[in-house]
Amino acid sequence: MVKYYTGYRPGDVPGNLPSPYYWWEAGAMMGSLIDYWYYTGDTQFNDIVTQAMLHQVGPNKDFMPPNQTSTEGNDDQSFWGFAAMSAAELKYPDPPSDQPQWLALAQAVFNSQALRWDNATCGGGLRWQISSFNNGYNYKNTISNGCFFNLAARLAKYTGNQTYALWADTMWDWISGTQLISSDYRFFDGSDVLKNCSDANHIQWTYNAGVFLLGAATMYNFTNGDPKWRARTEGILNATDVFFYPPAKTIMYEVACEGNGKCDVDQRSFKAYLARWMAATTKMAPFTYDAVMPRIRSSAAAAAKQCAGNANGDTNACGIKWWTDGGVWDGSFGVGEQMSALEVVQSNLITKVSGPVTNNTGGTSQGNPSAGTGGDPAPNADLLTPVTTGDRIGAGFLTTIVLVAVLGGAWWMIV
């Protein structure tokens, strides 16, 4: 996978992948390499990961760098935020003291998105795009909202701050009242704000299920086993059966596009995140282990058989169709294919490592509850009272104020 990354080379930009890959996938790659370090203890990629992460933080230290801001979506920003959150949780080496710290960066992403909560359409939620001039601004996609939910839950767990948990509750309540989730916990792609989110694009993606699965499991853990979060975690996990190839349903596949060969560059990486978050879920909600790990093991064995291709001189190129008979390489290759195989294979080591730390259980990353509160204006900025530096007292002050305002107002295949 790292063979595709050129950002560490002289004259290149740290944190960028070459075309045809988008900026968000570089953030996802850094998250996978942090996972790799966590599972193996191998530090050989740490320097390029830290370099990339710190280079892309942007002037406001919220993963809104000038070279990306005009085209950045909430989901794009979130994948860099996830890498920072994982770095804090897994005790990845902290940056130098004069640089932004992992927890503060995750908080900055969260706070900047809390400001974008949009009560003006669909009764809440986040739009896909940050800037109104971008295609997709009128779409509320499930992954952007799922990322916010996931990050809120994990910040609640790490910091113990109830404000983050309230936001997670708020996001769950909002999405449960839309067409983006079914009664049996299947998540759909998104909905049009111009129709007030009255219907949904019913495509199902692995990463939508995964992002909500880990978020729900983390809330189960944070609430000391609240039955509602157990039921939600179990429901989401049961609904992932659509992403395991029939009839055995033991090998992961991207149901919307693998069968017909229409997975695009982004979609080829989505299984990486379901594998990552399924494994992490077993740490937050141990009752899921027996349902998760047989599928992870079977998928990893199948993925390994696909990693026998020869592409551009790489004799270990991984394909995408792990479910094919005989495991013969399917001819596809790229960052997404490599990342998906890496994540599902290394997830088998989950029992060999300790779980995520928190502020109270050995976490060393320094936070900043006000990080990210001075960024871009929210879609409903006219409803918010401006907050000055002097007003930012106490942990989560601004996000609490926004949350009070929110609560007060408050088919599945590509063809």
Side-chain angles (χ1 to χ4, degrees):
M1 179 180 72
V2 177
K3 290 182 179 179
Y4 291 90
Y5 177 63
T6 59
Y8 64 90
R9 296 176 182 173
D12 211 326
V13 180
N16 276 0
L17 282 163
S19 180
Y21 303 103
Y22 294 106
W23 177 73
W24 78 271
E25 195 165 347
M29 175 190 280
M30 300 308 146
S32 290
L33 290 174
I34 290 170
D35 284 348
Y36 172 78
W37 166 84
Y38 167 60
Y39 284 123
T40 68
D42 185 351
T43 63
Q44 66 174 304
F45 303 118
N46 286 15
D47 287 347
I48 65 173
V49 170
T50 300
Q51 177 197 45
M53 298 270 288
L54 296 179
H55 191 84
Q56 292 296 330
V57 299
N60 294 324
K61 300 177 178 60
D62 56 1
F63 290 116
M64 292 282 289
N67 63 329
Q68 300 295 333
T69 302
S70 64
T71 59
E72 193 169 338
N74 282 302
D75 49 354
D76 303 328
Q77 183 189 27
S78 292
F79 273 86
W80 286 90
F82 284 154
M85 189 73 244
S86 291
E89 293 169 330
L90 305 181
K91 295 187 71 173
Y92 178 80
D94 292 326
S97 59
D98 62 342
Q99 295 295 314
Q101 301 300 299
W102 305 133
L103 177 58
L105 287 167
Q107 289 172 311
V109 171
F110 174 84
N111 287 335
S112 67
Q113 294 187 0
L115 284 170
R116 300 177 195 135
W117 184 269
D118 176 27
N119 273 332
T121 60
C122 308
L126 296 177
R127 293 173 182 257
W128 175 17
Q129 294 296 312
I130 296 170
S131 299
S132 60
F133 51 77
N134 283 335
N135 290 333
Y137 182 71
N138 289 326
Y139 195 63
K140 291 194 174 177
N141 66 336
T142 299
I143 191 58
S144 291
N145 289 282
C147 288
F148 184 79
F149 169 71
N150 181 299
L151 195 55
R154 292 163 68 184
L155 283 168
K157 174 66 178 173
Y158 191 96
T159 67
N161 187 336
Q162 287 286 344
T163 298
Y164 298 120
L166 288 172
W167 269 112
D169 281 326
T170 299
M171 176 57 82
W172 182 272
D173 291 344
W174 175 75
I175 207 158
S176 295
T178 71
Q179 300 296 313
L180 299 180
I181 180 176
S182 69
S183 60
D184 59 349
Y185 297 98
R186 301 187 188 278
F187 292 92
F188 306 124
D189 184 73
S191 193
D192 189 346
V193 303
L194 300 180
K195 298 179 180 178
N196 201 34
C197 300
S198 59
D199 57 13
N201 177 341
H202 280 78
I203 292 176
Q204 294 185 61
W205 299 111
T206 48
Y207 73 164
N208 282 330
V211 77
F212 275 96
L213 176 64
L214 179 57
T218 304
M219 288 300 291
Y220 166 82
N221 189 288
F222 178 73
T223 58
N224 298 311
D226 188 325
K228 73 180 180 184
W229 286 112
R230 177 172 180 134
R232 291 165 179 173
T233 302
E234 289 177 330
I236 298 168
L237 184 56
N238 290 339
T240 62
D241 65 348
V242 72
F243 303 118
F244 290 86
Y245 197 76
K249 289 189 174 291
T250 58
I251 299 175
M252 192 183 297
Y253 83 126
E254 199 65 61
V255 64
C257 61
E258 280 187 24
N260 57 25
K262 293 188 177 181
C263 295
D264 67 19
V265 169
D266 290 346
Q267 293 153 10
R268 290 166 183 260
S269 73
F270 288 177
K271 289 185 295 189
Y273 320 125
L274 178 58
R276 175 193 298 177
W277 291 324
M278 286 181 76
T281 289
T282 67
K283 291 295 193 187
M284 291 291 97
F287 67 85
T288 64
Y289 181 89
D290 288 343
V292 167
M293 292 312 297
R295 287 178 165 177
I296 293 293
R297 286 191 287 267
S298 295
S299 296
K305 291 178 181 178
Q306 272 287 322
C307 293
N310 191 334
N312 298 327
D314 182 0
T315 57
N316 294 306
C318 299
I320 190 174
K321 296 178 180 179
W322 304 341
W323 43 270
T324 54
D325 290 338
V328 178
W329 179 51
D330 63 14
S332 64
F333 59 92
V335 171
E337 289 90 336
Q338 298 298 127
M339 191 178 351
S340 293
L342 173 64
E343 285 283 14
V344 77
V345 169
Q346 67 189 13
S347 289
N348 284 273
L349 299 173
I350 192 68
T351 60
K352 307 297 184 182
V353 292
S354 58
V357 299
T358 70
N359 273 339
N360 295 323
T361 61
T364 61
S365 190
Q366 297 299 303
N368 177 3
S370 295
T373 58
D376 54 286
N380 57 343
D382 57 319
L383 302 179
L384 303 175
T385 302
V387 179
T388 66
T389 301
D391 289 328
R392 295 183 186 125
I393 54 175
F397 177 84
L398 182 58
T399 50
T400 303
I401 294 299
V402 178
L403 181 58
V404 169
V406 170
L407 294 175
W411 255 192
W412 54 263
M413 182 174 289
I414 295 177
V415 294

